[in-house]
Amino acid sequence: MKIGRLSESALRTMAAKKFDIRCREVPKGSGIGKDCALLQLEKDASIVITEDLLQRIPMAYMGQSGVLASVNHLAAAGAKPIGVMVTALFPEDTKKQQIEQVIREICGTCQKLSMAILEGHTEVTEAVNQPLLSVYGVGKSAGDRNLYKKALPGQDIVVTKQIGLEGTGILAWDREKELSDRFPSLFLARAKDCLEDLLAAEEARMAQESASYMAALGEKGIYGALWELSRESGVGLEIEIEKIPIRQQTIEICEFYDLNPYQMMSGGSLIIAAEDGQGLARKLHEHGIQAAVIGRTTASKDKLIYRQGKPANLEITKQDECHRLYAEWKKKKE
């Protein structure tokens, strides 16, 4: 497309009239061309803000992934999501239909979740050589009691759903033709369905009372989330890798592409530290949400991953496996 900021008329067409989404906290609504949005909150309510930067994943999934990542981070912090602020930058060779898909994914996901698009900037620019999406999520909370919780030594570590859902679903959809030469159609259909399970707001709400620490998984997977839990709370870890919940589709697709599933995009899952992890897992199971206790926090600084009873140190995850794979494919094309 032509370099420059997209016009209001183009954005209105791409958004299919779904941009002005109303919710109680945004009484005047929001709209294309506005520089600010008014948030009307009750007394003693706090604003919670989160930010995610999406890159090196197919544009077909950027919009939904960006909004859901913000929602899950806010919910894990005990906040009700209100809306998002979005900056979308595209290289010059981007097609109009691709930009339209990103915008409609953002609008459609916000509409389903009754969230407003508070502000946005969409531009085709020479400053980037790949699509870049920055999403700021805004939510409200009754205070900061959930936002700054920390794990304590001797607590259970719970993981909800299965790890690697986001990465598995993206690869299954984006590389369907390639994967269909190896896997049957039913296998791929179930792998694609992983993208239908990326919202974690309900389980976050249910876990608020039990959790000493809670965070949404995202890039860098469960290993990255465990490292952050240890760093932020100042505790050690003892994790049994066999107890980490993972779908067979994730295992086999990761083997096909030589990826580490424990370092792969895992949107849709939460990591929780609680005194009674088994009780929390049972509570979530009763509401149809899978959860498993995968280990415990310790008073030491050691971060240990046990595989078949043998310990190894958890290493910091420097790059998400999906990002690495897409970067390698892009380099080969060049």
Side-chain angles (χ1 to χ4, degrees):
M1 286 189 68
K2 186 178 180 180
I3 289 177
R5 185 168 180 172
L6 270 66
S7 66
E8 290 186 21
S9 59
L11 283 172
R12 290 184 191 282
T13 300
M14 290 179 175
K17 300 181 180 179
K18 293 181 180 179
F19 199 94
D20 189 8
I21 303 166
R22 301 297 178 101
C23 62
R24 187 162 58 91
E25 292 81 9
V26 191
K28 299 296 183 181
S30 55
I32 295 171
K34 295 182 179 179
D35 291 329
C36 300
L38 172 67
L39 303 184
Q40 184 172 306
L41 302 180
E42 298 88 348
K43 186 179 179 181
D44 298 326
S46 301
I47 288 287
V48 180
I49 299 174
T50 185
E51 190 267 344
D52 281 278
L53 183 66
L54 285 82
Q55 56 184 325
R56 294 199 185 102
I57 64 172
M59 279 189 281
Y61 318 104
M62 291 186 83
Q64 173 184 279
S65 293
V67 174
L68 290 181
S70 291
V71 170
N72 292 343
H73 286 312
L74 291 168
K80 174 195 170 185
I82 295 174
V84 293
M85 297 180 287
V86 181
T87 297
L89 303 178
F90 301 96
E92 190 176 2
D93 61 355
T94 308
K95 294 180 174 60
K96 178 183 176 182
Q97 293 84 350
Q98 292 174 306
I99 298 176
E100 184 174 355
Q101 188 170 15
V102 174
I103 292 172
R104 289 193 174 179
E105 279 288 321
I106 293 170
C107 294
T109 306
C110 284
Q111 189 174 49
K112 288 178 185 177
L113 299 175
S114 300
M115 294 172 63
I117 298 175
L118 303 170
E119 200 275 336
H121 179 97
T122 310
E123 183 174 343
V124 177
T125 172
E126 294 174 308
V128 298
N129 57 17
Q130 62 181 350
L132 198 65
L133 183 67
S134 176
V135 181
Y136 281 85
V138 180
K140 72 172 183 178
S141 174
D144 63 2
R145 63 182 184 276
N146 295 311
L147 188 58
Y148 300 110
K149 284 184 174 181
K150 292 185 178 182
L152 301 174
Q155 293 186 322
D156 293 328
I157 299 175
V158 178
V159 169
T160 65
K161 295 178 183 165
Q162 301 92 6
I163 65 161
L165 292 177
E166 188 173 14
T168 301
I170 287 174
L171 288 171
W173 276 103
D174 193 49
R175 313 297 291 193
E176 180 177 8
K177 185 177 180 180
E178 183 176 83
L179 290 169
S180 63
D181 293 336
R182 168 73 177 271
F183 302 108
S185 57
L186 181 58
F187 175 96
L188 287 178
R190 289 175 175 169
K192 291 178 181 178
D193 286 345
C194 289
L195 289 184
E196 303 299 319
D197 209 12
L198 301 187
L199 182 63
E202 179 61 18
E203 49 263 46
R205 182 190 63 78
M206 293 173 59
Q208 285 297 335
E209 293 300 319
S210 304
S212 290
Y213 172 97
M214 179 160 49
L217 272 65
E219 295 177 6
K220 301 182 182 180
I222 182 63
Y223 279 2
L226 287 167
W227 184 276
E228 286 299 314
L229 184 158
S230 175
R231 182 186 64 82
E232 291 180 17
S233 300
V235 295
L237 303 171
E238 290 182 352
I239 306 297
E240 295 182 55
I241 199 167
E242 291 86 0
K243 292 185 177 181
I244 297 176
I246 184 169
R247 294 189 186 183
Q248 188 63 29
Q249 291 80 14
T250 302
I251 293 172
E252 295 195 34
I253 287 176
C254 283
E255 287 179 351
F256 183 79
Y257 288 117
D258 193 24
L259 304 176
N260 184 337
Y262 304 103
Q263 296 176 319
M264 186 168 77
M265 297 172 68
S266 293
S269 296
L270 299 174
I271 185 170
I272 304 165
E275 290 293 336
D276 182 11
Q278 296 293 352
L280 175 59
R282 285 194 298 271
K283 177 181 176 181
L284 292 170
H285 274 287
E286 289 170 1
H287 289 80
I289 300 168
Q290 183 175 345
V293 176
I294 66 169
R296 292 180 65 79
T297 57
T298 67
S300 75
K301 300 300 181 182
D302 296 330
K303 307 174 186 65
L304 300 177
I305 304 293
Y306 286 84
R307 187 188 297 269
Q308 297 180 344
K310 297 180 180 179
N313 290 316
L314 173 67
E315 300 294 336
I316 188 168
T317 302
K318 296 181 179 180
Q319 185 178 23
D320 180 271
E321 286 286 84
C322 281
H323 287 189
R324 178 181 65 80
L325 186 62
Y326 276 100
E328 289 176 0
W329 284 336
K330 187 174 186 295
K331 191 173 182 180
K332 287 181 181 178
K333 286 181 180 180
E334 295 172 350

Coordinates of all heavy atoms in Angstrom, one line a residue, residues 268-313:
G268 N -3.8 -18.0 26.6 CA -4.9 -18.8 27.0 C -4.7 -19.5 28.3 O -5.7 -20.0 28.9
S269 N -3.5 -19.6 28.7 CA -3.2 -20.3 30.0 C -2.7 -19.3 31.1 O -2.2 -18.3 30.8 CB -2.0 -21.4 29.8 OG -2.5 -22.4 28.9
L270 N -2.9 -19.7 32.3 CA -2.5 -18.9 33.5 C -1.5 -19.7 34.3 O -1.6 -20.9 34.4 CB -3.7 -18.5 34.3 CG -4.8 -17.7 33.7 CD1 -6.0 -17.6 34.7 CD2 -4.3 -16.3 33.3
I271 N -0.6 -19.0 35.0 CA 0.2 -19.6 36.0 C -0.1 -19.0 37.3 O -0.2 -17.8 37.4 CB 1.7 -19.4 35.6 CG1 2.6 -20.2 36.7 CG2 2.1 -18.0 35.6 CD1 4.1 -20.3 36.3
I272 N -0.4 -19.8 38.3 CA -0.9 -19.4 39.6 C -0.1 -20.0 40.7 O 0.2 -21.2 40.7 CB -2.4 -19.8 39.7 CG1 -3.2 -19.2 38.6 CG2 -3.0 -19.2 41.1 CD1 -4.6 -19.9 38.4
A273 N 0.2 -19.2 41.7 CA 0.8 -19.7 43.0 C -0.2 -19.6 44.0 O -0.8 -18.6 44.2 CB 2.1 -18.9 43.3
A274 N -0.5 -20.8 44.7 CA -1.6 -20.8 45.8 C -1.2 -21.8 46.9 O -0.4 -22.7 46.6 CB -2.9 -21.2 45.1
E275 N -1.7 -21.5 48.0 CA -1.5 -22.4 49.2 C -2.1 -23.8 48.9 O -1.4 -24.8 49.2 CB -2.1 -21.8 50.5 CG -1.4 -20.6 51.0 CD 0.0 -20.9 51.5 OE1 0.3 -22.1 51.9 OE2 0.9 -20.0 51.5
D276 N -3.3 -23.9 48.4 CA -3.9 -25.1 48.1 C -4.2 -25.3 46.6 O -5.3 -25.0 46.1 CB -5.2 -25.2 48.9 CG -6.0 -26.6 48.7 OD1 -5.4 -27.5 48.1 OD2 -7.2 -26.7 49.0
G277 N -3.1 -25.6 45.9 CA -3.2 -25.7 44.4 C -4.2 -26.8 44.0 O -4.9 -26.7 43.0
Q278 N -4.2 -28.0 44.7 CA -5.1 -29.0 44.4 C -6.5 -28.6 44.5 O -7.4 -29.0 43.7 CB -4.8 -30.3 45.2 CG -3.4 -30.9 45.0 CD -3.2 -31.5 43.7 OE1 -4.2 -31.6 42.9 NE2 -2.0 -31.9 43.4
G279 N -6.8 -27.9 45.6 CA -8.2 -27.4 45.8 C -8.6 -26.5 44.7 O -9.8 -26.5 44.2
L280 N -7.7 -25.6 44.3 CA -8.0 -24.7 43.2 C -8.2 -25.4 41.9 O -9.1 -25.1 41.1 CB -6.9 -23.6 43.0 CG -7.0 -22.7 41.8 CD1 -8.2 -21.8 41.9 CD2 -5.7 -21.8 41.8
A281 N -7.4 -26.4 41.6 CA -7.5 -27.2 40.4 C -8.8 -27.9 40.4 O -9.5 -28.0 39.3 CB -6.3 -28.2 40.3
R282 N -9.3 -28.5 41.5 CA -10.6 -29.1 41.6 C -11.7 -28.1 41.3 O -12.7 -28.5 40.6 CB -10.8 -29.8 42.9 CG -10.0 -31.1 43.1 CD -10.5 -31.8 44.4 NE -10.3 -31.0 45.6 CZ -9.2 -31.1 46.3 NH1 -8.2 -31.8 46.0 NH2 -9.2 -30.4 47.4
K283 N -11.6 -27.0 41.8 CA -12.6 -25.9 41.6 C -12.7 -25.6 40.1 O -13.8 -25.5 39.6 CB -12.3 -24.7 42.4 CG -13.2 -23.5 42.2 CD -12.7 -22.3 43.1 CE -13.6 -21.1 42.8 NZ -13.2 -19.9 43.6
L284 N -11.6 -25.4 39.5 CA -11.6 -25.1 38.1 C -12.2 -26.3 37.2 O -12.9 -26.1 36.3 CB -10.2 -24.7 37.6 CG -9.6 -23.4 38.2 CD1 -8.2 -23.3 37.9 CD2 -10.4 -22.2 37.7
H285 N -11.8 -27.5 37.6 CA -12.3 -28.7 36.9 C -13.8 -28.7 37.0 O -14.5 -29.2 36.0 CB -11.6 -29.9 37.5 CG -10.3 -30.3 36.9 ND1 -10.2 -30.8 35.6 CD2 -9.1 -30.2 37.4 CE1 -8.9 -31.0 35.4 NE2 -8.2 -30.6 36.4
E286 N -14.3 -28.4 38.1 CA -15.8 -28.4 38.3 C -16.5 -27.5 37.3 O -17.7 -27.7 37.1 CB -16.2 -28.1 39.7 CG -15.8 -29.2 40.7 CD -15.9 -28.7 42.2 OE1 -16.3 -27.5 42.4 OE2 -15.6 -29.5 43.1
H287 N -15.8 -26.5 36.9 CA -16.4 -25.5 35.9 C -15.9 -25.8 34.5 O -16.0 -24.9 33.6 CB -16.1 -24.1 36.3 CG -16.8 -23.7 37.6 ND1 -16.4 -24.0 38.8 CD2 -18.0 -22.9 37.7 CE1 -17.3 -23.5 39.7 NE2 -18.2 -22.9 39.1
G288 N -15.3 -27.0 34.3 CA -14.9 -27.3 32.9 C -13.6 -26.8 32.4 O -13.3 -26.8 31.2
I289 N -12.8 -26.3 33.4 CA -11.5 -25.7 33.0 C -10.4 -26.6 33.5 O -10.3 -26.9 34.7 CB -11.3 -24.3 33.6 CG1 -12.4 -23.4 33.1 CG2 -10.0 -23.7 33.3 CD1 -12.5 -22.1 33.9
Q290 N -9.6 -27.1 32.6 CA -8.5 -28.0 33.0 C -7.4 -27.2 33.8 O -7.1 -26.0 33.4 CB -7.8 -28.6 31.8 CG -6.7 -29.6 32.2 CD -6.1 -30.3 31.0 OE1 -6.7 -30.4 29.9 NE2 -5.0 -31.0 31.1
A291 N -6.9 -27.8 34.8 CA -5.8 -27.2 35.6 C -5.0 -28.3 36.3 O -5.5 -29.4 36.6 CB -6.4 -26.2 36.7
A292 N -3.7 -28.0 36.5 CA -2.8 -29.0 37.1 C -1.8 -28.4 38.0 O -1.3 -27.3 37.6 CB -2.2 -29.8 36.0
V293 N -1.5 -29.0 39.1 CA -0.4 -28.6 39.9 C 0.9 -29.2 39.3 O 1.0 -30.4 39.2 CB -0.5 -29.1 41.4 CG1 0.7 -28.7 42.2 CG2 -1.8 -28.5 42.0
I294 N 1.9 -28.3 39.0 CA 3.1 -28.8 38.3 C 4.3 -28.7 39.2 O 5.4 -29.1 38.7 CB 3.3 -28.0 37.0 CG1 3.6 -26.5 37.3 CG2 2.1 -28.1 36.1 CD1 4.1 -25.7 36.1
G295 N 4.2 -28.2 40.4 CA 5.3 -28.1 41.3 C 5.1 -27.1 42.4 O 3.9 -26.8 42.7
R296 N 6.2 -26.7 43.0 CA 6.1 -25.8 44.2 C 7.2 -24.8 44.2 O 8.2 -24.9 43.5 CB 6.2 -26.6 45.5 CG 5.1 -27.6 45.8 CD 5.3 -28.4 47.1 NE 5.3 -27.5 48.2 CZ 4.2 -27.0 48.8 NH1 3.0 -27.3 48.3 NH2 4.2 -26.3 49.9
T297 N 6.9 -23.7 44.9 CA 7.9 -22.7 45.1 C 8.7 -23.1 46.3 O 8.3 -23.9 47.2 CB 7.3 -21.3 45.4 OG1 6.4 -21.4 46.6 CG2 6.4 -20.8 44.2
T298 N 10.0 -22.6 46.4 CA 10.9 -22.9 47.5 C 11.5 -21.6 48.0 O 11.5 -20.6 47.4 CB 12.0 -23.9 47.0 OG1 12.8 -23.2 46.1 CG2 11.4 -25.1 46.3
A299 N 12.2 -21.8 49.2 CA 12.8 -20.6 49.8 C 14.2 -20.4 49.2 O 14.9 -19.4 49.5 CB 12.9 -20.9 51.3
S300 N 14.7 -21.3 48.4 CA 16.0 -21.1 47.8 C 15.9 -20.3 46.5 O 14.8 -19.9 46.1 CB 16.6 -22.5 47.4 OG 16.0 -23.0 46.3
K301 N 17.0 -20.0 45.9 CA 17.0 -19.3 44.6 C 17.1 -20.2 43.4 O 17.0 -19.8 42.2 CB 18.1 -18.3 44.5 CG 18.1 -17.2 45.6 CD 16.8 -16.4 45.6 CE 16.8 -15.4 46.7 NZ 15.6 -14.6 46.7
D302 N 17.1 -21.5 43.7 CA 17.3 -22.5 42.6 C 16.0 -22.7 41.8 O 14.9 -22.7 42.4 CB 17.7 -23.9 43.1 CG 19.1 -23.8 43.8 OD1 19.9 -23.0 43.3 OD2 19.3 -24.6 44.7
K303 N 16.1 -22.7 40.5 CA 15.0 -22.9 39.6 C 15.2 -24.3 38.9 O 15.9 -24.4 38.0 CB 14.9 -21.8 38.6 CG 14.8 -20.4 39.1 CD 14.9 -19.4 38.0 CE 15.0 -18.0 38.5 NZ 16.3 -17.7 39.2
L304 N 14.5 -25.3 39.5 CA 14.8 -26.7 39.1 C 13.7 -27.3 38.3 O 12.5 -27.2 38.7 CB 15.1 -27.6 40.3 CG 16.3 -27.1 41.1 CD1 16.5 -28.0 42.3 CD2 17.6 -27.1 40.3
I305 N 14.0 -27.9 37.1 CA 13.0 -28.6 36.4 C 13.4 -30.1 36.5 O 14.5 -30.5 36.1 CB 13.0 -28.2 34.9 CG1 12.8 -26.7 34.7 CG2 12.0 -29.0 34.1 CD1 11.4 -26.2 35.1
Y306 N 12.4 -30.9 37.0 CA 12.7 -32.3 37.1 C 12.1 -33.1 35.9 O 10.9 -32.9 35.6 CB 12.1 -32.9 38.4 CG 12.8 -32.5 39.6 CD1 12.6 -31.2 40.2 CD2 13.8 -33.3 40.2 CE1 13.3 -30.8 41.4 CE2 14.5 -32.9 41.3 CZ 14.3 -31.7 41.9 OH 15.0 -31.3 43.0
R307 N 12.9 -33.9 35.3 CA 12.4 -34.8 34.2 C 12.8 -36.2 34.6 O 14.0 -36.5 34.7 CB 13.1 -34.4 32.9 CG 12.6 -35.1 31.6 CD 13.4 -34.9 30.4 NE 13.3 -33.5 30.0 CZ 12.4 -32.9 29.2 NH1 11.5 -33.7 28.6 NH2 12.5 -31.7 28.9
Q308 N 11.8 -37.0 34.8 CA 11.9 -38.4 35.2 C 12.8 -38.4 36.5 O 13.6 -39.3 36.7 CB 12.6 -39.2 34.1 CG 11.7 -39.4 32.9 CD 12.3 -40.2 31.8 OE1 13.5 -40.5 31.8 NE2 11.5 -40.7 30.9
G309 N 12.5 -37.5 37.4 CA 13.2 -37.4 38.7 C 14.5 -36.8 38.7 O 15.1 -36.6 39.8
K310 N 15.1 -36.5 37.5 CA 16.4 -35.9 37.5 C 16.3 -34.3 37.3 O 15.7 -33.9 36.4 CB 17.2 -36.5 36.3 CG 17.5 -38.0 36.4 CD 18.2 -38.5 35.3 CE 18.5 -40.0 35.4 NZ 19.3 -40.5 34.3
P311 N 17.0 -33.6 38.2 CA 16.9 -32.1 38.1 C 17.8 -31.5 37.1 O 18.9 -32.0 36.8 CB 17.2 -31.7 39.5 CG 18.2 -32.7 40.0 CD 17.8 -34.0 39.4
A312 N 17.3 -30.3 36.6 CA 18.2 -29.5 35.7 C 17.8 -28.1 36.0 O 16.6 -27.8 36.4 CB 18.0 -29.8 34.2
N313 N 18.7 -27.1 35.8 CA 18.4 -25.7 36.0 C 17.6 -25.1 34.9 O 17.8 -25.4 33.7 CB 19.7 -24.9 36.1 CG 20.5 -25.3 37.4 OD1 19.9 -25.4 38.5 ND2 21.8 -25.4 37.3

